Amino acid sequence: MSEVNLTKRKEKCENCTKQCNKKNSDDGAGSLQEKDEIGGQVNEGSQLLLSACLSCDGCLSDDENVKISQQSLEEVKHVLALNKKCDASKYKVLVASICPQSLPFFAVKFGMEVTEAAHKLCSFLKGLGVHYVFDTNLASGFSILECQKEFIQRYRRKHHDSHALPMFTSSCPGWIRYSERVLGSLVTPHICTARSPQQIMGCLVKDFFCKQQQKLSPDKIYHILVAPCFDKKLEAVREDFYNSLLEARDVDCVLTSGEIFGLMEQRRVSVDELDSVPLDHVLGDSGDAVLMRHEGRVSEGFLEHVFKYAAKELFGLDVHEITYKNHRNRDFQEVTLERDGETLLQFAAVYGFRNIQTLVHRMRKGRVPYQLVEVLSCPGGCISGRGQAETMAGQLDKNLIQQMEEVYSSLPVHLPEVTPALHTLYHDWLQGQDSPQANMLLHTQYKSQIQSQTQPPHMQW
């Protein structure tokens, strides 16, 4: 994690547009001691970055701090150690799910194409004691399909529901936390209720895979998710995704790509000596899983999928290519659907908190012309997550990001609408696309937490 610079009075995040007061020690010396994500001590003298900011005690409760501390390699090592003791009551089946934006990181680091890198990573994880390794493309497909459906529903009720549009995407936990803790009811009713790919993957593993494929109780599965950013750790500990009866989370531990690679370096693993082991299938099919990506720049492609789907569903127009227009910069772009000089749809992709501030300012003024906004807290999108794109000096590695973008673009695009496994799961697991089961497992609610906070976060990004 990024190192923290503490001063006596005010600090400024890398993504800030305003300064914020931080909670300092009683002596006023600003000697707050924090630990980073892999257990190391945070030093002084560097810039305060978003990932560190979200994990400081100005924003997190004591209970949240405890839960975040469990999102670590040490916790995974503890689970692996218990498995080796052969105590059946404490034995857990370990499942690892890898985000598609993490695979290009390993491909670049390993110096090989993405499928082979995935196989090497799978081999390493299974060598540690992980039993199954999946990618999260199926979960992303579910999230995209549910997002598409919800957008159409919102669009059709826009004239009698002031909260219907614009609709904001819900896949970025940094954006969700900011919306709930700082923006409140201005934004939360507009957030798409479809769960993020991470949390749908949690349901796939803890509900479908463990019950129907493994005949196990969810508390007997330990689910690790490999992601490009630290904020995913915060998402995993949300109370919405915790089964109090079984004392089990949908995702037990999020590890960043950088943490996994750091462990490989620590153990001096030679990639050349690792076997090539194909990833597993949630459905238990035989054969190698074909690695795909969804449409879009370097994230899950919600904007492009919803735009094309809405153009066809609402206006009967087939859109094959999408042209982005830079509004302010590369991280604030617009997409427009026009017919006979009339603007039918206007979407935007807004990445990074400086651009998010611009969006929020316009929303307060009632000047948001968009029906859908794909919002991501990381400049450049998910592939630029600080859990894999940050240097030891706390800066983004632009050369690495460029290489990862090229690798990601090389993956074949696959449409969720024509994915047989998704249709099978809708039928066999969820009892239909609009069933109560589908609504319960694929959706959640986002609500203002401003009034319920005992201590409001002193931060504005």
Side-chain angles (χ1 to χ4, degrees), residues 239-350:
E239 287 305 313
D240 316 49
F241 310 134
Y242 178 70
N243 186 322
S244 57
L245 183 64
L246 295 173
E247 297 185 347
R249 296 194 174 279
D250 296 337
V251 177
D252 295 289
C253 182
V254 174
L255 297 177
T256 67
S257 318
E259 287 176 305
I260 295 292
F261 187 72
L263 180 62
M264 296 179 75
E265 289 187 315
Q266 178 187 335
R267 299 195 172 198
R268 298 180 181 179
V269 173
S270 171
V271 175
D272 293 335
E273 295 177 1
L274 289 172
D275 294 330
S276 184
V277 179
L279 273 65
D280 300 296
H281 296 253
V282 171
L283 287 170
D285 299 332
S286 59
D288 190 4
V290 178
L291 294 175
M292 302 283 188
R293 69 177 175 90
H294 294 106
E295 292 182 305
R297 291 162 57 190
V298 288
S299 301
E300 301 293 351
F302 284 91
L303 182 150
E304 293 202 15
H305 283 280
V306 177
F307 189 83
K308 291 180 179 180
Y309 181 80
K312 182 67 174 178
E313 187 75 11
L314 297 173
F315 306 105
L317 298 176
D318 291 310
V319 177
H320 301 290
E321 295 292 333
I322 287 183
T323 302
Y324 286 90
K325 176 185 176 183
N326 283 2
H327 181 71
R328 293 174 58 87
N329 48 59
R330 184 174 178 264
D331 282 333
F332 198 132
Q333 296 186 318
E334 295 179 347
V335 176
T336 304
L337 179 69
E338 297 180 346
R339 181 173 60 187
D340 300 329
E342 178 188 4
T343 298
L344 302 176
L345 292 174
Q346 192 172 4
F347 288 9
V350 178

Side-chain angles (χ1 to χ4, degrees), residues 65-88:
N65 270 315
V66 171
K67 293 172 183 175
I68 289 293
S69 70
Q70 295 170 350
Q71 303 280 307
S72 67
L73 283 169
E74 292 306 312
E75 188 68 16
V76 174
K77 292 175 183 177
H78 175 68
V79 174
L80 291 169
L82 287 176
N83 275 1
K84 290 182 178 179
K85 291 184 177 180
C86 300
D87 183 344

